[in-house]
Amino acid sequence: AQSVTQLGSHVSVSEGALVLLRCNYSSSVPPYLFWYVQYPNQGLQLLLKYTTGATLVKGINGFEAEFKKSETSFHLTKPSAHMSDAAEYFCAVSDTGGFKTIFGAGTRLFVKA
Amino acid sequence: DTAVSQTPKYLVTQMGNDKSIKCEQNLGHDTMYWYKQDSKKFLKIMFSYNNKELIINETVPNRFSPKSPDKAHLNLHINSLELGDSAVYFCASSRRGTGEETQYFGPGTRLLVL
């Protein structure tokens, strides 16, 4: 069975500082990995995803993530945080079977001025 | 032009009542989903439909009955509402339902059962 663990339910950074949100997954088959962002009172939207190919994936708003199979990780980073990045971030995993995506518990990102 | 829309946005009701939430997508996708997000933001799949056929039913109580009249619509009817049903319900869609596809989420329906 697949699962996702996000380390840290809350992360706080200063504006301009590095953002690092951690995600580890468990999957018996090659996984597809996603990061979604949820702004207050909105639905989720895709930041980036890894399917195959290059392990460093770039997404919207300057975010990127690296798939590391040996570490079963897919951490999300952004070099310089902006106030508008404050939101809930979800890591997710699915497989080729489709129809079912497993989401992590989410990490709330706070950005201090 | 909203890609995935849900109605109503807010729903406040008494225990024991029956209510429905509607979802529509105009993306031409074959697959639609219902998720429940609890007060701690945990997001859990409830149902997946592909071409109007139920594919996934994640041990959801029988009080919850999804209906897909066509590929663009997936409605959720809830009978005999309980306090524990209070949550945000999200509808989503994807093109064919394969694992690598992006899911597109609606804005959510905030259900409060009193």
Side-chain angles (χ1 to χ4, degrees), chain A:
Chain A
Q2 295 178 311
S3 66
V4 175
T5 302
Q6 291 184 239
L7 298 173
S9 58
H10 297 86
V11 170
S12 182
V13 301
S14 297
E15 195 171 20
L18 172 72
V19 175
L20 171 60
L21 304 182
R22 299 178 188 272
C23 172
N24 287 88
Y25 70 91
S26 172
S27 177
S28 58
V29 297
Y32 299 124
L33 295 161
F34 305 80
W35 276 100
Y36 285 86
V37 61
Q38 184 181 27
Y39 297 104
N41 297 316
Q42 294 186 27
L44 282 70
Q45 62 184 84
L46 183 73
L47 268 181
L48 49 80
K49 64 181 178 182
Y50 168 79
T51 54
T52 58
T55 56
L56 182 61
V57 181
K58 294 186 186 301
I60 61 172
N61 301 338
F63 284 93
E64 61 182 38
E66 187 170 11
F67 170 57
K68 291 188 177 180
K69 187 178 177 180
S70 60
E71 299 177 7
T72 61
S73 69
F74 191 57
H75 301 331
L76 182 70
T77 61
K78 181 174 180 177
S80 176
H82 192 272
M83 297 296 287
S84 60
D85 294 328
E88 191 88 24
Y89 291 80
F90 293 91
C91 183
V93 64
S94 68
D95 62 28
T96 54
F99 301 116
K100 183 176 176 180
T101 300
I102 305 298
F103 286 82
T107 297
R108 181 72 185 269
L109 176 66
F110 295 92
V111 182
K112 300 174 291 187

Side-chain angles (χ1 to χ4, degrees), chain B residues 10-22:
Chain B
Y10 299 96
L11 193 49
V12 182
T13 188
Q14 300 287 330
M15 275 176 52
N17 283 352
D18 303 338
K19 290 293 179 186
S20 292
I21 306 171
K22 295 186 176 183

Side-chain angles (χ1 to χ4, degrees), chain A residues 32 34 36 38 40-46 49 51 88 90 94-106 108, chain B residues 9 31 33 35 37 40-43 45 48 50 55-56 58 90 96-107 110:
Chain A
Y32 299 124
F34 305 80
Y36 285 86
Q38 184 181 27
N41 297 316
Q42 294 186 27
L44 282 70
Q45 62 184 84
L46 183 73
K49 64 181 178 182
T51 54
E88 191 88 24
F90 293 91
S94 68
D95 62 28
T96 54
F99 301 116
K100 183 176 176 180
T101 300
I102 305 298
F103 286 82
R108 181 72 185 269
Chain B
K9 192 168 183 180
T31 305
Y33 312 81
Y35 288 90
Q37 186 174 48
K40 295 185 178 179
K41 300 291 187 182
F42 186 65
L43 194 68
I45 182 77
S48 298
N50 182 254
I55 304 296
I56 298 279
E58 279 294 292
F90 286 100
R96 289 171 298 150
T98 54
E100 75 276 16
E101 291 175 351
T102 299
Q103 292 187 26
Y104 295 82
F105 284 78
R110 285 145 187 83

